[in-house]
Amino acid sequence: MLKDKVALVTGAAQGIGYAIAAEFAKQAANVVLADYNPKVNEVAEQLNAKSAGQITGLVMNVMDNDSIKNGLDQVINDFGHLDYVMNNAGGGVLKPFAELTDDDFDKTINLDLRGTFQCMRAEINVFLQQGYGSIVNTGALGSIYNPGGMGAYNAAKNGIMGMTQAAAVDYAEVDCKINPNAVRTKKISF
Ligand SMILES: NC(=O)c1ccc[n+]([C@@H]2O[C@H](COP(=O)([O-])OP(=O)(O)OC[C@H]3O[C@@H](n4cnc5c(N)ncnc54)[C@H](O)[C@@H]3O)[C@@H](O)[C@H]2O)c1
């Protein structure tokens, strides 16, 4: 059971994000469903009615640093801490490579890769302050395997996998409470 734990899930108004949020709720966690679609508030209200923990909606755009900061401030203000984050908001334009426009590429990279980066950076800063916290990012089969039509999406999801590993290496051995500025520098030989 996750009673008294606080979980934040992005892209939680529907789909996989909602399913993850509902699983946290089943475990009695307090859950913040974040989404840029305001319908997330109604969705959270409905989940709250059948959950033991406190379930709230948060209108937050993962592509907007101010929105992310305000969202995290609100979570800390409401619950006092944050234990788990699932950076799930994503999606992308799927087309054969030669048909992808610059706009398709930018939209996909900005939502999936940059959005996840911006959220992670802000969340890690919260975790460094409080001394703990866990992040899981949603990749896709497109992180590791390419069935075709995924030029932009594969670039973004593959990037999320590398970025997740990079953050894990940076903070794997940091004792946040003792030294919030400590970052592990690991010698890597090629
Ligand atoms: N559906 C699949 O088959 C599949 C497979 C592998 C990976 N994924 C990944 O899983 C995640 C969720 O997929 P899904 O199928 O549930 O998608 P979905 O489109 O059903 O839901 C995505 C949610 O993210 C929200 N969202 C979009 N842009 C946002 C933004 N800028 N800020 C905040 N919220 C935003 C949407 O409003 C929506 O509620 C995505 O990262 C996707 O790439 C999906």
Side-chain angles (χ1 to χ4, degrees):
M1 291 293 266
L2 300 174
K3 190 172 173 312
D4 298 328
K5 301 287 188 188
V6 182
L8 169 71
V9 183
T10 71
Q14 64 179 49
I16 293 170
Y18 176 78
I20 293 163
E23 279 303 314
F24 273 119
K26 256 193 217 163
Q27 299 295 320
N30 300 313
V31 193
V32 182
L33 280 71
D35 206 290
Y36 74 167
N37 186 336
K39 86 170 180 185
V40 75
N41 286 323
E42 197 187 320
V43 170
E45 223 170 271
Q46 285 166 8
L47 186 58
N48 187 52
K50 50 185 177 184
S51 302
Q54 192 182 334
I55 316 298
T56 59
L58 174 68
V59 177
M60 183 177 105
N61 183 351
V62 302
M63 294 191 288
D64 177 339
N65 281 317
D66 289 339
S67 176
I68 295 166
K69 185 182 180 318
N70 292 340
L72 289 174
D73 285 350
Q74 193 177 317
V75 172
I76 299 301
N77 192 47
D78 290 350
F79 294 97
H81 68 284
L82 176 61
D83 298 279
Y84 314 118
V85 175
M86 180 84 209
N87 290 314
N88 164 80
V93 181
L94 306 183
K95 282 182 186 173
F97 209 100
E99 292 170 26
L100 280 168
T101 63
D102 289 355
D103 192 45
D104 293 335
F105 187 81
D106 288 348
K107 271 188 186 148
T108 306
I109 294 289
N110 283 340
L111 172 55
D112 285 303
L113 187 55
R114 191 182 175 93
T116 301
F117 163 71
Q118 291 182 171
C119 286
M120 280 181 83
R121 182 178 53 190
E123 292 149 6
I124 288 170
N125 276 301
V126 169
F127 292 164
L128 287 170
Q129 286 298 322
Q130 65 182 19
Y132 55 86
S134 304
I135 296 176
V136 174
N137 296 320
T138 300
L141 262 186
S143 297
I144 50 169
Y145 156 82
N146 206 325
M150 288 195 177
Y153 189 67
N154 183 263
K157 291 296 192 181
N158 208 298
I160 288 175
M161 196 167 68
M163 196 167 63
T164 306
Q165 289 167 348
V169 169
D170 282 352
Y171 297 104
E173 290 175 3
V174 173
D175 183 337
C176 309
K177 273 187 177 153
I178 293 170
N179 182 1
N181 298 316
V183 174
R184 178 184 185 205
T185 27
K186 189 181 176 191
K187 270 198 176 160
I188 298 172
S189 333
F190 294 97

